[in-house]
Amino acid sequence: MPSNKSVSDAPIVQFTNCRILRDHQLQREDLWVREGKILNPEKLFFDEKGSADVQLDCKDSIIAPGFIDVQINGGFGVDFSLATDDFKSGIDLVSQKILSHGVTSFCPTLVTSPPSVYHQILPQISVRNGGAHGAGILGAHLEGPFISKEKKGAHPEHCLRTFEAGAFQDLLATYGSLDCVQIVTLAPEMRRSSEVIQELTSRGICVSLGHSVANLSQAEEAVQHGATFITHLFNAMLPFHHRDPGIVGLLTSDKIPAGRRVFYGMISDGIHTNPAALRIAHRAHPKGLVLVTDAIAGMGLAPGRHTLGQQVVEIDGLNTYIAGTKTLSGSVATMDTCVRHFQEATGCSVETALEAASLHPAQLLGIEHKKGTLNYDSDADFLMLNDNLYVQATYIAGEEVWRQDASGM
Amino acid sequence: MKLIILENYSQASEWAAKYIRNRIVQFGPGPGRFFTLGLPTGLPRDHPESYHSFMWNNFFKHIDISPENVHILDGNAPDLQAECDAFEEKIKAAGGIELFVGGIGPDGHIAFNEPGSSLVSRTRVKTLAMDTILANARFFDGDLSKVPTMALTVGVGTVMDSREVMILITGAHKAFALYKAIEDGVNHMWTVSAFQQHPNTVFVCDEDATLELKVKTVKYFKGLMLVHNKLVEPLYSMKEMGAERSQSKKPYSD
């Protein structure tokens, strides 16, 4: 059909025979894409008198926004906390490989490390769009070193720090630069954390609470100063107690400032959190749940020993422990596995499971106007999935960047 | 007039759809043009209740129609009367309307030709009757102040110029209007009655819409259904028409 575009000459692609996730529901609608963005077909039809150049039959797939992983420490042998000579090619490798897991944007995460490591690595991370080369990088997630000794988990104790002396200046000196940092995880019970949280928030950096022994009021104060996220809920924090719910209590706290929402990361690999606990959290605060992988270098590789920053971890099936201990350290789960497991464990709808990995992380980072949805004018980062939520194809900016081949690899 | 009485809304819709399909195929595609009737003014084009949105969501997005062949009166045009006049010109340029498909209001209006509209009127701006505003309030969350009060509409005369007219009427609330339209006289207070003077009209309705008609009328037309159903069976298709083009038969006339 001849198209008659007055606004742009770029080709228009119409994805038909699919169900798209829009307005929190799977709707039987076509998806229209032009110049890397989702296009409004009604406007195209009436205002531009345009029509599609290419029509693709999606064979009744589900089309969902691409997944966003805000906590991933590495994978396929690459460790984001290890300052190697070929760090850049490492991050490129991971960003390319996770396309097959449905991840179209991610925050490379660095665990607690000595300042020299941050100074070497951070300048090599840059915010960039995704494409055929790999998933987009939204910015780094710095998990530590300003965390609690009692809840360090897999983080090395000798690298933990406080910012008692110089507050924000200490933090800046430790990291070196905050240019491409998107999220910082810290323990809010540390002295002067409020100023630090305020300063980070004013710079547009998302502050997350984790690896902490804070009680509920300390956590609420942190939220009032700007914190909006909880790092892997339940793990590395005080357990829920009915007279002091701790950080977990933020899910139902009534002291959250109006108009704000607290989000919380969940590693739904079946190991980090018992499904019953996952259900409790989900039911208490469904709109805040953000699926993360917390994947480490061993993800995607055979079982055995791998590094995680300054530590050595051992992988045995889906379990990953600090070598020689029973301390969990990250996971080897992939994002699509987490989405499927979350859906099974909670019995939630397909839409809810998909939104926990796309819409909610986008809302957390304040980018839902361009990522995390299939709304008109959003970036056309999306996935084709079958009914069992297995990713069949990944698209970034409207271009296919990965497809499941027929052999099922 | 042919009065086609089906059991319910779905069946009436399906019969009408099949009839329209057959008529389109017989007409032969090519310079087939489609005009849509009327648009309340003042609604922005992407308002969910605008005719543009309605037609897009319920019709255009499901078919492969070229946007150049869609002509909807633009209620946001700077000069509304000029827009209406241009519409009439476009109809003439396209060779006139082959088949006009419309509904009927509870006050017997066709398009937005409210009671009192001239039976020879053309496309123009029309003030809406309170009945119509009330009927449309449901699309605006029941808020009367949000319902547009004026509409651009094709005139009764414009529709009368079509070669064929099809009116769809379903539901008990339309029954009295149907009675006034076909069993009473031609009257500008019930503008649909104008079609009694059109050579080729089809009324498609469901049982509920016949509630105010004489039993005799209903029985008479139900008796003709065997003949009328030949208009929808067989269902023609574009592929077959190629071969039969030389022998295409005109549809049955009254």
Side-chain angles (χ1 to χ4, degrees), chain A residues 348-361:
Chain A
C348 68
S349 64
V350 160
E351 293 92 325
T352 305
L354 293 171
E355 285 189 337
S358 56
L359 175 65
H360 293 173

Side-chain angles (χ1 to χ4, degrees), chain A residues 1-4 14 28-30 32 40-51 55 376, chain B residues 45-47 50-57 60-70 72:
Chain A
M1 188 168 305
S3 24
N4 190 355
Q14 177 188 4
R28 195 154 267 292
E29 290 281 348
D30 295 343
W32 295 66
N40 181 343
E42 194 182 327
K43 250 174 131 234
L44 174 72
F45 188 83
F46 288 120
D47 292 349
E48 294 180 49
K49 310 255 186 264
S51 44
Q55 289 183 323
Y376 301 139
Chain B
R45 194 174 278 179
D46 52 8
H47 189 285
S50 76
Y51 265 89
H52 286 96
S53 294
F54 182 85
M55 293 303 297
W56 168 258
N57 282 313
F60 300 139
K61 79 177 179 197
H62 303 281
I63 58 172
D64 64 343
I65 182 170
S66 181
E68 292 89 15
N69 289 337
V70 173
I72 302 186

Side-chain angles (χ1 to χ4, degrees), chain A residues 230 233-234 240 245 247-254 256 261-262 264 266 275-289 342 346 352 360:
Chain A
I230 303 173
L233 187 78
F234 296 128
F240 175 84
I247 294 180
V248 180
L250 285 178
L251 265 59
T252 47
S253 162
D254 56 358
I256 313 292
R261 187 188 304 173
V262 169
Y264 55 100
M266 298 248 38
L278 180 59
R279 285 190 285 272
I280 289 180
H282 169 63
R283 287 180 204 174
H285 183 28
K287 289 206 182 7
L289 200 149
F342 172 63
T346 57
T352 305
H360 293 173

Side-chain angles (χ1 to χ4, degrees), chain B residues 28-50:
Chain B
R33 309 255 159 175
F34 307 88
F35 285 77
T36 342
L37 73 93
L39 182 74
T41 62
L43 279 181
R45 194 174 278 179
D46 52 8
H47 189 285
E49 299 305 336
S50 76

